[in-house]
Amino acid sequence: MRPPDRSLTRLLAGWLPRQRWFGGKDSPIDELTIDTSTELVPGDPGLHHLVLDVRQNTTTDHYQLLLGIRRHLPERLRPHQIGQFAGDTPGYLYDAAHDPELARPLLTHMARETTVGPLRFRHTPGADIRTDLDGTPVTAEQSNTSLVFGGTYICKLFRRLSPGVNPDLEVNLALSREGCTHVPAVHGWIEMEPPDGAGGEPITLALLSEFLRTGTDGWRLALTSVRDWFAQPEPLHAPPGSPAAPPGPAGALTVGDAAAAGGDFAAEAERLGAATAQVHRDLAAAFGVTRAAADDLRAMARGMAAQLDRVGAAVPELRPHAPAIRAVFDRLAASDDPLPVQRVHGDYHLGQVMRTESGWVLLDFEGEPARTPAERRAPAHPLRDVAGMLRSFEYAARFLLAGGDEMPPESADVLERRAQVWAERNRAAFCAGYAAAGGPDPAAHTALVRAFELDKAVYEVRYEARNRPSWLPVPLRSLERLAGGQRSIE
Ligand SMILES: Nc1ncnc2c1ncn2[C@@H]1O[C@H](COP(=O)(O)OP(=O)(O)O)[C@@H](O)[C@H]1O
Ligand SMILES: [Mg+2]
């Protein structure tokens, strides 16, 4: 039971742009073709694995889809309908990632290490994969779709495929081999033969990992802390003996008050810093460390300046800060210290970490979605990840202000000051934890950290201007501070 390919491609071309994970929403689809189609489950319901080639302008992207086919579509699957087809055996087509019944065969195939057409299902040595669990998608899906199997496994289906092994699988396997306890255990994966036969690396389609049952999202935890902090009555005075607080406006809440407030996040931030340093150490052990020559450093600084020019041309609000930002990049370019570089996380923020009973766990080593596969795997200085997390603390601190949430009655100035205190306290704690656990001390590399942070904030300016203009003040405020020469870290 299957419609002819011609009507299928037409249906898919209409459905694809409406999917959250579809990366090409900016321009129309010029051509969609089915590259491979593999039947995984025959009958009703049936399951086909498809790889789609989607051409837009001059680029072709590849997406995978689990295509479900049923004669009758139950109510719960209606929101995932792709289309209907007529003929002798009419039926419905839908996104089978949302069909628990059809997710189970993925586990069975991985447990048996089956090969079906170009698809290879694999498990890690010794893994005894349970096959009695139904898979349901997690609702927090971003660029991929993850299925949770009975609170035991999580299977991340990479929606857009890139050539070769996916860095998320590559890094998680390597870190597990190093005995790293700050990543979820890998149980299995699905891969596909490279298109041109022998030679190339297989293409990773999915990653099956341990589901962190006791895990709480780092971003959510941080926001809870910020909300508590904003709700503190004002004024509140630092208890005697609390850590030295920067002088604030008379009667305003200070870092000392933050330490005393319920829901303080600093101890978590410090432990997260330590976990980050340990993962960096394990990444260095697994993939090695090289030295970037002064030329590479100059090229990196030039890249940062080029982005600054591009974003400045598009977003006028950035322009007043541009000279000060450029001066920081120029100073970096003038340094001739060779930089030790290594594999890093590459897209590090509070949404990529979870706190579990046994400590912080890092997720999602895919790198920044906007970068090419080669860029994502390229070695970088580990303080780039640190800068990413420092930016995330700024975002968490200001998220409630920018999002128009219902706010306590304090004036905007007071809340802005509180956001700053929360961010400073947690940034400092994160850096202290990172350095104490053996990472390069951010306080000893302020020029580098500041350049990385500025580069990230410039990228955020472009993103917010395009997607969420009411958020533009978040990176702009940081730029004011960072480029103004004030401390970038405590
Ligand atoms: N091993 C896991 N255990 C529990 N939840 C997880 C696990 N991996 C991911 N998640 C949840 O899924 C979300 C998205 O995962 P992530 O790997 O970052 O995918 P994406 O590429 O879509 O960002 C995470 O923020 C987290 O809430
Ligand atoms: Mg993620």
Side-chain angles (χ1 to χ4, degrees):
M1 181 170 72
R2 228 193 101 157
D5 276 2
R6 204 146 25 86
S7 54
L8 180 57
T9 51
R10 210 180 42 244
L11 287 173
L12 289 170
W15 174 81
L16 208 53
R18 299 200 303 272
Q19 305 315 302
R20 187 168 169 179
W21 40 261
F22 180 65
K25 293 198 180 72
D26 288 348
S27 45
I29 293 176
D30 297 324
E31 192 183 5
L32 184 149
T33 47
I34 296 170
D35 182 28
T36 65
S37 171
T38 313
E39 185 174 63
L40 290 175
V41 178
D44 181 16
L47 178 66
H48 287 251
H49 177 275
L50 303 186
V51 174
L52 310 174
D53 293 349
V54 181
R55 189 167 63 77
Q56 295 183 281
N57 301 319
T58 53
T59 55
T60 299
D61 283 322
H62 310 280
Y63 289 87
Q64 71 170 322
L65 171 66
L66 290 173
L67 181 71
I69 304 174
R70 284 179 182 258
R71 187 77 51 87
H72 304 285
L73 198 63
E75 194 62 36
R76 64 193 158 81
L77 292 173
R78 291 269 158 84
H80 311 294
Q81 178 176 328
I82 294 170
Q84 265 177 288
F85 60 96
D88 296 345
T89 51
Y92 292 88
L93 302 166
Y94 62 100
D95 182 358
H98 296 267
D99 189 345
E101 204 180 324
L102 289 180
R104 208 185 267 214
L106 301 179
L107 290 186
T108 315
H109 281 305
M110 275 188 261
R112 295 186 191 146
E113 299 216 303
T114 329
T115 297
V116 190
L119 309 187
R120 303 176 195 148
F121 294 80
R122 294 291 177 259
H123 63 69
T124 41
D128 184 13
I129 294 180
R130 286 179 58 179
T131 56
D132 58 341
L133 304 169
D134 284 342
T136 42
V138 288
T139 44
E141 66 176 293
Q142 296 285 320
S143 42
N144 297 298
T145 299
S146 293
L147 306 178
V148 175
F149 287 92
T152 300
Y153 304 124
I154 183 164
C155 183
K156 181 165 167 176
L157 291 168
F158 300 106
R159 288 293 192 168
R160 177 150 65 173
L161 303 176
S162 39
V165 58
N166 186 290
D168 210 10
L169 172 65
E170 180 191 28
V171 169
N172 272 301
L173 279 176
L175 286 176
S176 301
R177 263 184 237 120
E178 291 297 325
C180 181
T181 55
H182 296 290
V183 286
V186 179
H187 291 292
W189 67 93
I190 311 172
E191 62 187 28
M192 192 167 134
E193 276 169 18
D196 45 5
E201 281 181 348
I203 296 162
T204 311
L205 302 175
L207 169 60
L208 186 74
S209 316
E210 156 199 14
F211 182 73
L212 302 167
R213 222 179 299 213
T214 65
T216 315
D217 190 67
W219 173 252
R220 216 169 296 162
L221 273 179
L223 284 191
T224 304
S225 164
V226 174
R227 213 170 271 127
D228 282 356
W229 173 230
F230 280 176
Q232 289 290 308
E234 177 102 4
L236 192 134
H237 296 289
S242 65
L253 288 168
T254 64
V255 170
D257 295 319
D264 182 28
F265 193 70
E268 289 297 352
E270 189 172 343
R271 282 192 285 273
L272 178 60
T276 308
Q278 281 152 22
V279 169
H280 280 160
R281 191 192 49 216
D282 291 338
L283 283 169
F287 296 97
V289 178
T290 53
R291 298 217 156 248
D295 275 354
D296 297 329
L297 192 59
R298 269 192 288 281
M300 182 175 83
R302 266 202 309 275
M304 292 175 171
Q307 175 180 251
L308 176 64
D309 289 342
R310 279 196 308 276
V311 180
V315 187
E317 291 91 334
L318 179 62
R319 283 176 220 152
H321 308 295
I325 300 173
R326 181 176 303 280
V328 174
F329 296 159
D330 286 349
R331 274 201 298 281
L332 182 65
S335 146
D336 20 69
D337 290 341
L339 272 194
V341 290
Q342 61 163 83
R343 284 297 285 267
V344 296
H345 184 281
D347 186 21
Y348 201 42
H349 54 78
L350 285 162
Q352 307 276 44
V353 292
M354 291 187 102
R355 196 201 57 190
T356 72
E357 259 168 18
S358 56
W360 283 99
V361 174
L362 278 61
L363 303 172
D364 196 359
F365 288 82
E366 273 193 273
E368 271 178 30
R371 293 183 188 262
T372 64
E375 285 169 341
R376 293 170 186 213
R377 289 164 90 175
H381 194 278
L383 287 175
R384 205 182 103 190
D385 281 348
V386 168
M389 192 55 79
L390 294 180
R391 294 293 315 132
S392 197
F393 282 121
E394 295 277 343
Y395 257 79
R398 293 197 167 74
F399 177 83
L400 302 172
L401 301 179
D405 243 47
E406 206 167 291
M407 281 285 111
E410 276 79 17
S411 74
D413 277 359
V414 168
L415 292 178
E416 171 57 33
R417 167 75 192 152
R418 286 190 184 190
Q420 204 175 321
V421 168
W422 189 94
E424 274 177 21
R425 175 171 171 77
N426 289 293
R427 286 159 56 95
F430 177 81
C431 289
Y434 184 79
D441 187 356
H445 298 83
T446 46
L448 190 59
V449 176
R450 184 173 302 173
F452 282 136
E453 268 204 85
L454 283 169
D455 185 48
K456 184 92 194 177
V458 169
Y459 167 84
E460 291 160 5
V461 165
R462 184 186 51 183
Y463 180 86
E464 302 302 5
R466 262 192 206 159
N467 300 297
R468 307 184 291 194
S470 72
W471 290 61
L472 196 52
V474 175
L476 285 177
R477 274 199 192 270
S478 309
L479 286 172
E480 263 163 46
R481 247 177 359 96
L482 284 166
Q486 292 180 33
R487 72 183 157 234
S488 65
I489 48 172
E490 287 287 284

